[in-house]
Amino acid sequence: MRRPDVVDSVAALRAQVNGWRRDGLRVAMVPTMGALHEGHLSLIRIARKRAERCVVSIFVNPTQFAPSEDLDKYPRQLTRDLDLLATVKADLAFTPTVGAMYPAGFATRILVGGPSAGLESDFRPTFFEGVATVVAKLFLQATPDCAVFGEKDYQQLCVVRQLCRDLDLPVEIIGAPTMRDAHGLAMSSRNAYLDEAELAVARQLNVILHKTAAAIAAGAHGDDTTGEASRALIAAGFRKVDYVEARESLTLAPWRRGRAGRLLAAAWLGKTRLIDNVDVPIA
Ligand code: PAF
């Protein structure tokens, strides 16, 4: 299996993408922060079905970390990531340095409204500003035809869609279903921080969300039910629940009966914060 070529400058990235485009090839991008796992590989498999060439960016983006979040401890394992990229036949890895992405004097931030309100933003107020800024940069650097984002980070997916719509970025955004283990636990780099006992608790997150979504769809009152879900998560062993909320699935406006919905949650297990979301079926 051949590792993808690696470029770390925008000039080299553009030269490669422009060459593909001259040959009439469609280009997909999968933005990542590395520490790749099966969830990322599933995004790349989808990208390869939707385009002839696939660029994967690996960049731990400092602007989406709050000072309290440990940017330095975020896992960096480029050699392993490149080996994994070889298994899914990614064509190019883009690995810019922090200095190249944010040179001295960099002073621009992109604020996306709409779907960024509440949920993650209540607990990580500058997170989506950092994500929107880096994703816009990556799209302008790589000029992909399409890009794949996981539904695991559902609010992020909605924010990126809004960003592209509002700024007329000509990139088709493809949402990919969450990869789960045999017990339904959503795959995440953070699962590596959990011991066996914590994993058993973590697996209750999707179980409780599915039960709650079914109860809401069957007519239970949204706020009462999400309150019950928070209590069920604490009873299952979670230390703290940041939110359990039903939202409209396209806009992330507060959910109203009869509309397509999404139930989203974030909860702490020891020092690890897990997020997940499930569909609220239309009854
Ligand atoms: O989901 C992620 O890994 C990051 O938020 C992203 C989209 C790569 C931007 O840094």
Side-chain angles (χ1 to χ4, degrees):
M1 275 175 296
R2 186 179 168 277
R3 280 185 177 175
D5 293 332
V6 181
V7 292
D8 62 6
S9 75
V10 175
L13 171 68
R14 285 204 180 129
Q16 179 63 87
V17 172
N18 290 342
W20 288 334
R21 198 145 287 127
R22 271 195 302 275
D23 292 339
L25 302 174
R26 186 173 151 88
V27 180
M29 179 169 219
V30 180
T32 81
M33 297 208 298
L36 302 181
H37 53 69
E38 193 49 43
H40 296 107
L41 302 187
S42 74
L43 306 184
I44 297 162
R45 286 191 195 100
I46 291 173
R48 292 198 66 253
K49 286 195 185 126
R50 301 290 291 260
E52 284 92 14
R53 292 290 180 269
C54 173
V55 184
V56 178
S57 60
I58 298 179
F59 178 65
V60 182
N61 175 35
T63 63
Q64 69 191 73
F65 286 76
S68 58
E69 296 170 341
D70 211 341
L71 170 65
D72 294 336
K73 285 217 177 102
Y74 197 87
R76 287 157 175 89
Q77 41 197 44
L78 184 59
T79 308
R80 184 178 168 277
D81 286 347
L82 293 176
D83 287 340
L84 285 172
L85 290 182
T87 67
V88 285
K89 300 192 173 73
D91 298 286
L92 188 67
F94 176 48
T95 60
T97 60
V98 173
M101 288 298 264
Y102 302 114
F106 185 91
T108 299
R109 288 282 185 281
I110 298 183
L111 274 181
V112 178
S116 71
L119 303 170
E120 286 300 294
S121 294
D122 286 343
F123 300 88
R124 308 174 75 191
T126 56
F127 174 68
F128 287 121
E129 190 179 317
V131 169
T133 304
V134 81
V135 168
K137 274 184 74 89
L138 289 167
F139 285 177
L140 292 166
Q141 291 165 339
T143 65
D145 298 290
C146 62
V148 187
F149 289 81
E151 286 183 351
K152 158 83 179 12
D153 297 290
Y154 194 83
Q155 191 177 12
Q156 170 173 277
L157 170 64
C158 296
V159 168
V160 169
R161 286 205 162 111
Q162 182 84 41
L163 167 78
C164 290
R165 245 194 332 268
D166 289 353
L167 297 188
D168 301 311
L169 296 177
V171 183
E172 180 196 357
I173 302 302
I174 300 162
T178 304
M179 289 291 287
R180 297 181 180 277
D181 74 5
H183 307 269
L185 174 65
M187 290 198 180
S188 160
S189 323
R190 293 180 175 180
N191 297 350
Y193 303 138
L194 305 174
D195 61 28
E196 273 308 311
E198 288 175 327
L199 272 174
V201 177
R203 288 180 177 131
Q204 288 304 305
L205 179 54
N206 82 95
V207 174
I208 291 168
L209 286 184
H210 276 295
K211 268 192 202 154
T212 307
I216 293 174
H221 185 272
D223 287 348
D224 295 347
T225 322
T226 51
E228 259 169 48
S230 296
R231 287 188 288 280
L233 288 168
I234 297 292
F238 281 88
R239 176 171 66 77
K240 182 171 170 269
V241 177
D242 281 352
Y243 59 82
V244 180
E245 271 186 59
R247 295 287 185 100
E248 288 196 5
S249 48
L250 289 182
T251 60
L252 291 190
W255 177 74
R256 284 174 295 160
R257 193 160 296 289
R259 308 293 280 253
R262 204 86 190 176
L263 183 66
L264 304 100
W268 289 87
L269 198 45
K271 289 188 176 149
T272 308
R273 186 173 185 272
L274 298 180
I275 60 170
D276 200 355
N277 65 85
V278 299
D279 202 38
V280 179
I282 300 181

